Amino acid sequence: MTCNTDLLRDYAFDELPAADRPALQRHISECAGCAAELDQLRLTTAALRILPDQEPPQRIAFVSDKVFAPSRFWNLAPWFGFASAAVMAATLIFTVTHRPVEIRTLVQTASAQPIDDIVKKAVAETRAQTRAEDAQLFNARLEASEAKHDKEHRYLVEALAVMQQSLNTNVLMASSATSQTGAGQ
Amino acid sequence: MIFRAVEDADLITRVRKGDVEAFNHLVSRWEKRVFNYLLRLTGSPDDSLDLSQDAFLKAFQNIRKLDDNARFGPWLFRIAHNEAYSHFRKKRPDTDPEDAERMEREPARTVAPELTLAVTAALDRLSPEQREAVVLKVYQGFKFEEMAEILAIPVSTIKSRLYTALDLLKVELAPTNSRGIQ
């Protein structure tokens, strides 16, 4: 057997067919060059394997579909939808068929009376009520204002009295001091 | 690995019947691999998490399209690959330098910093296609046929990308190996 680098490499990676191995192994034991080449190849792969595998920083996991699977209750959801729609439709039909009769009755009743009189009466009543309320409010405000002014007036009078008294006291003290000074001289 | 495939096939059957918890179980078995595959392609933990979530969501939505339950792994990684490349097309103009820095710093916590820096730097020098071939083969342990399924390219192209990448890496990492292992 002659030297064959490719066969040697296949052998090093355990990829050589079993039938070819004995012949190559015999050749390696006899050929120093191929033996050295094989050693160098094995040293190179051993050096590469120095780099260790790393742990993934985070585990990968998938959530079970059962979590998102719709329950029986939610399977009935469309039927609840239909039921609520049917109730709303029935209510709407009932309203449409019954309410206009009442409206018509009211309109007919109202139209039988003279509208102007009713409106005038309502306006007059409202106006009178408003005037009464305004007068009441005005009187209340007036009373409150007068009371406030009276109070302020009282305070002013009291303040003036205090000031007058104070002034009188000062005058008296000044005159007494003057007389004492005159008597001393 | 065989037991894993059998358990995956059982979970997939349950997912097809609408069992979301079975899918969560499937996610917990694959999320670390998918996240790390995307992390080595994008260099961003945040983007990788988002893309992982998107990939698993698409897998859940399209689980009925999976022909063979035993091929769930390559099928899932095909989705993740598509998500990553769709993301690259959208985001190519602006890459986040903070994420790249964080990507370089974080592995250094558990192994010798000079080794991790050398390996990271060597991987960074590869083309995206070469790097993805290395990631799928060396880090994820997929067979060439599965890689061809994930990347939708022939096995010969996969081998070409992988072996060219290893030739480059060998040159880069040989001094590191001799220092680190002796």
Side-chain angles (χ1 to χ4, degrees), chain A residues 91-176:
Chain A
T91 310
L92 204 63
I93 290 165
F94 178 81
T95 308
V96 167
T97 51
H98 289 80
R99 196 168 173 80
V101 176
E102 289 174 21
I103 292 165
R104 212 178 297 128
T105 310
L106 282 172
V107 170
Q108 282 169 353
T109 311
S111 63
Q113 296 177 0
I115 293 168
D116 287 350
D117 291 350
I118 292 168
V119 171
K120 278 179 187 171
K121 191 184 173 189
V123 168
E125 280 174 1
T126 309
R127 195 175 286 166
Q129 193 179 350
T130 310
R131 278 180 185 165
E133 284 173 0
D134 284 351
Q136 203 174 356
L137 274 173
F138 178 76
N139 288 333
R141 287 267 177 91
L142 190 66
E143 281 172 15
S145 178
E146 282 176 352
K148 191 182 171 188
H149 285 144
D150 284 348
K151 206 174 177 182
E152 284 173 359
H153 181 69
R154 234 182 5 258
Y155 287 152
L156 279 170
V157 169
E158 282 173 9
L160 273 172
V162 169
M163 283 170 74
Q164 188 69 49
Q165 198 175 358
S166 172
L167 187 67
N168 292 341
T169 307
N170 287 337
V171 168
L172 280 172
M173 284 174 75
S175 60
S176 112

Side-chain angles (χ1 to χ4, degrees), chain A residues 9-10 15 48 54 59, chain B residues 31 36 137 139 163 167:
Chain A
R9 286 163 170 174
D10 287 355
E15 293 268 9
L48 287 169
Q54 291 186 32
R59 293 285 159 206
Chain B
E31 65 181 338
N36 277 281
K137 188 67 191 170
Y139 293 102
Y163 294 153
D167 282 339

Side-chain angles (χ1 to χ4, degrees), chain B residues 1-178:
Chain B
M1 199 75 175
I2 293 167
F3 288 115
R4 186 189 181 101
V6 170
E7 286 180 34
D8 281 352
D10 177 48
L11 289 170
I12 292 160
T13 307
R14 284 167 54 195
V15 174
R16 283 204 171 106
K17 290 175 186 167
D19 187 343
V20 180
E21 281 314 305
F23 187 72
N24 279 334
H25 196 174
L26 207 55
V27 169
S28 69
R29 292 161 69 89
W30 285 91
E31 65 181 338
K32 190 174 176 182
R33 285 188 68 183
V34 171
F35 172 77
N36 277 281
Y37 161 67
L38 291 165
L39 184 61
R40 290 191 167 112
L41 293 190
T42 63
S44 159
D46 293 339
D47 287 346
S48 304
L49 185 65
D50 289 345
L51 292 170
S52 300
Q53 285 171 339
D54 292 346
F56 279 112
L57 180 62
K58 286 204 174 161
F60 180 70
Q61 288 168 337
N62 296 289
I63 197 83
R64 285 183 172 81
K65 293 180 186 170
L66 175 63
D67 296 327
D68 181 1
N69 288 6
R71 311 289 290 175
F72 177 72
W75 179 78
L76 177 64
F77 271 72
R78 172 76 189 148
I79 295 171
H81 165 87
N82 288 340
E83 288 297 312
Y85 275 77
S86 168
H87 168 77
F88 288 149
R89 279 192 290 275
K90 281 185 221 160
K91 207 185 174 180
R92 187 157 284 167
D94 58 320
T95 47
D96 190 356
E98 280 185 20
D99 276 340
E101 278 178 29
R102 189 166 29 169
M103 172 69 179
E104 282 176 9
R105 280 198 307 271
E106 282 180 351
R109 290 174 192 163
T110 49
V111 286
E114 67 271 20
L115 284 176
T116 51
L117 284 175
V119 172
T120 308
L123 282 170
D124 283 347
R125 288 195 191 96
L126 302 178
S127 71
E129 290 81 12
Q130 288 169 343
R131 193 183 313 127
E132 190 171 21
V134 171
V135 169
L136 288 170
K137 188 67 191 170
V138 177
Y139 293 102
Q140 299 294 338
F142 281 112
K143 295 281 178 191
F144 287 137
E145 276 186 24
E146 292 172 326
M147 289 169 69
E149 197 177 325
I150 293 165
L151 303 176
I153 52 175
V155 169
S156 58
T157 312
I158 299 280
K159 282 187 179 185
S160 168
R161 285 181 186 176
L162 179 68
Y163 294 153
T164 308
L166 285 171
D167 282 339
L168 295 167
L169 291 168
K170 211 163 55 181
V171 174
E172 295 283 331
L173 299 175
T176 307
N177 286 337
S178 59

